[in-house]
Amino acid sequence: MTVFRESLKVHSTGLRPTFFTLTEQVQEIIDRSGVKNGICVVYSHHTTCSVMTQESSFDIAYTGLEYLQQDLTDVLENIVPTCRKEGQYMHPGPLLTEFAAEHGESKPETLNTDAHLRSVFMGRSETIVVIDGKLDLGAYGNVYFIDFDTTRPRDRTVQVQIVGE
Amino acid sequence: MTVFRESLKVHSTGLRPTFFTLTEQVQEIIDRSGVKNGICVVYSHHTTCSVMTQESSFDIAYTGLEYLQQDLTDVLENIVPTCRKEGQYMHPGPLLTEFAAEHGESKPETLNTDAHLRSVFMGRSETIVVIDGKLDLGAYGNVYFIDFDTTRPRDRTVQVQIVGE
Amino acid sequence: MTVFRESLKVHSTGLRPTFFTLTEQVQEIIDRSGVKNGICVVYSHHTTCSVMTQESSFDIAYTGLEYLQQDLTDVLENIVPTCRKEGQYMHPGPLLTEFAAEHGESKPETLNTDAHLRSVFMGRSETIVVIDGKLDLGAYGNVYFIDFDTTRPRDRTVQVQIVGE
């Protein structure tokens, strides 16, 4: 039985929700682990990010997002609208603003309530079954990491934890 | 420590979201695995399907769905309306349509954008705790596999991966 | 390789969705397990509850909820409105009502359709990566257990299952 972990680093644009395709990198970590059967947990260290597994949509929108990623972003915009000013949501409140300032975060940078809530809806991890050393993603499946924070560009860490044999 | 996996096969109707009750079959796989304590990952190989754990609702709607399944379908219809024609969502776009045609999929069969997005919201797997050899589902809990694709009947594979001892 | 599990008990108010902060208790279970690297599954035994990992919001609303918890509750109210009377959702139906009565549950206590559906959306578990013996939650991350059932106060069980070495 093996427990094997590596981290991946990505850098978001901050302009809109950023989707990173990590399929090959996650598969390479499985290859290095030597695990043939088990589970692979792809996990966001950050509370404004998510992981999803989906097909590639081929077509690319003007925003740079694949069509299905744009559709997902549109649906999320209906459920959890982009946070454009204080008071739109209860968070960030005065205590949070003070705490953030003490830790070097400006007021505009705390306006990521939408990203926190979207991360909650989408979940912070995906657990993928590993069969014969391969991610069982379906014929055209991919692993995507999503950064929903659009207040600024961010460095992000993705954990890939494999348990199996 | 044991890593044990079996697959289940189901066949959807294509008429509406299809719910399959897999509780007994998943429990039988745990029995065969010999695992007493650990986790059981019930996982959809497909990007238009999901797994959920919920109670049986007893009453059956005219659609054949249990009442709670119908309620869930109604809520999802509000968030991610059924895809009825091209242009309603960005996906499927021209490149996807061409790629699909090359792989034997007709235009109507690509109109499953709603199923992809619903699968993303609901997630493609559930991780269930196994205690003393039993799924810890609560008194009346069930494991359901959902196929959201209503473009045609489909053969579907569900992976049941158990890790424990 | 270790498989280690403990249960936590909480008691909800029934007045509104109740959020319990379990971060320290879950970390203490990891400490007792001796696991340094692996995964920790925090799991709701109940079909009207969920687990989420998010940051503390510091500010507290009049309802007693942290601001971000209140924002989440507001978003969920839009998607899955609180069940206020029979007929609002299909569930509970006549067979369920009869079954519930036989098991000591009154009609008002079956009006928790919203809680079942919210639990489905939010998921019943979170899988958290454990690194060097610590939950990898991010700088200010917490583990929350949520009871969405507002029909009455309830005793609830949270399972913490750890797999690793």
Side-chain angles (χ1 to χ4, degrees), chain A residues 1 37-39 52-61 67-68 70-72 74-76 78-79 121-122 126-132 136-142 163-165, chain B residues 1-3 5 7 39 41 43-48 79-80 88-97 99 103 113 115-117 119-121 123-125 127 159-161 163-164:
Chain A
M1 179 69 66
N37 290 290
I39 56 173
M52 78 168 185
T53 57
Q54 253 302 325
E55 287 188 9
S56 168
S57 194
F58 293 93
D59 300 275
I60 308 290
Y67 275 16
L68 206 50
Q70 184 65 54
D71 287 330
L72 174 64
D74 294 346
V75 167
L76 285 169
N78 288 338
I79 301 173
F121 274 102
M122 295 284 295
E126 287 291 330
T127 300
I128 305 162
V129 168
V130 178
I131 303 176
D132 297 331
D136 184 50
L137 289 170
Y140 313 111
N142 276 310
V163 178
E165 63 185 14
Chain B
M1 178 69 66
T2 300
V3 177
R5 184 181 55 78
S7 302
I39 57 173
V41 179
Y43 178 89
S44 163
H45 177 80
H46 311 279
T47 53
T48 52
I79 301 173
V80 183
Q88 180 179 343
Y89 297 95
M90 292 203 81
H91 176 95
L95 292 178
L96 183 281
T97 303
F99 178 85
H103 291 75
T113 313
H116 285 293
L117 295 174
S119 172
V120 164
F121 274 103
R124 275 173 72 183
S125 73
T127 300
Q159 304 290 358
V160 181
Q161 179 69 275
V163 179

Side-chain angles (χ1 to χ4, degrees), chain A residues 1-3 5 39 41 43-45 47-48 79-80 89-97 99 103 113 116-117 119-121 123-125 127 159 161 163, chain C residues 1 37-39 52-59 61 67-68 70-72 75-76 79 121-122 126-131 136-138 140-141 163-165:
Chain A
M1 179 69 66
T2 300
V3 177
R5 184 181 55 77
I39 56 173
V41 179
Y43 177 88
S44 163
H45 177 82
T47 54
T48 52
I79 301 173
V80 183
Y89 297 94
M90 293 204 80
H91 176 95
L95 292 178
L96 182 282
T97 304
F99 178 85
H103 291 75
T113 313
H116 285 293
L117 295 174
S119 172
V120 164
F121 274 102
R124 275 172 71 182
S125 72
T127 300
Q159 303 290 358
Q161 179 68 277
V163 178
Chain C
M1 178 70 67
N37 291 289
I39 57 173
M52 78 168 185
T53 57
Q54 253 302 325
E55 286 188 10
S56 166
S57 193
F58 293 93
D59 300 275
Y67 275 15
L68 206 50
Q70 184 65 53
D71 288 328
L72 175 63
V75 167
L76 285 169
I79 300 174
F121 275 102
M122 296 283 295
E126 286 290 330
T127 300
I128 306 162
V129 168
V130 177
I131 303 175
D136 184 49
L137 289 170
Y140 312 112
V163 178
E165 63 184 14

Side-chain angles (χ1 to χ4, degrees), chain B residues 16-42:
Chain B
R16 55 183 63 84
T18 318
F19 290 70
F20 300 92
T21 307
L22 304 180
T23 322
E24 288 185 20
Q25 293 176 71
V26 174
Q27 182 59 54
E28 286 166 9
I29 295 173
I30 293 173
D31 295 345
R32 283 194 288 277
S33 79
V35 165
K36 297 301 176 194
N37 291 288
I39 57 173
C40 173
V41 179
V42 184

Side-chain angles (χ1 to χ4, degrees), chain B residues 31 49 52 73 78 80 101 135 147 162:
Chain B
D31 295 345
C49 303
M52 77 168 185
T73 303
N78 288 338
V80 183
L135 289 166
D147 188 344
I162 301 160

Side-chain angles (χ1 to χ4, degrees), chain C residues 23-34:
Chain C
T23 323
E24 288 185 21
Q25 293 176 73
V26 174
Q27 181 60 53
E28 287 166 9
I29 294 173
I30 292 172
D31 295 345
R32 283 195 286 278
S33 78

Side-chain angles (χ1 to χ4, degrees), chain A residues 1-12:
Chain A
M1 179 69 66
T2 300
V3 177
F4 186 89
R5 184 181 55 77
E6 286 191 19
S7 303
L8 299 172
K9 303 287 184 184
V10 298
H11 185 76
S12 65

Side-chain angles (χ1 to χ4, degrees), chain A residues 10-48:
Chain A
V10 298
H11 185 76
S12 65
T13 66
L15 296 175
R16 56 182 63 85
T18 318
F19 291 69
F20 300 92
T21 307
L22 303 180
T23 322
E24 288 185 21
Q25 293 176 72
V26 175
Q27 182 59 53
E28 287 166 8
I29 295 173
I30 292 172
D31 295 345
R32 282 194 288 275
S33 78
V35 166
K36 297 301 177 193
N37 290 290
I39 56 173
C40 173
V41 179
V42 184
Y43 177 88
S44 163
H45 177 82
H46 311 279
T47 54
T48 52

Side-chain angles (χ1 to χ4, degrees), chain B residues 130-141:
Chain B
V130 178
I131 303 177
D132 297 331
K134 300 292 174 197
L135 289 166
D136 184 50
L137 289 170
Y140 312 112

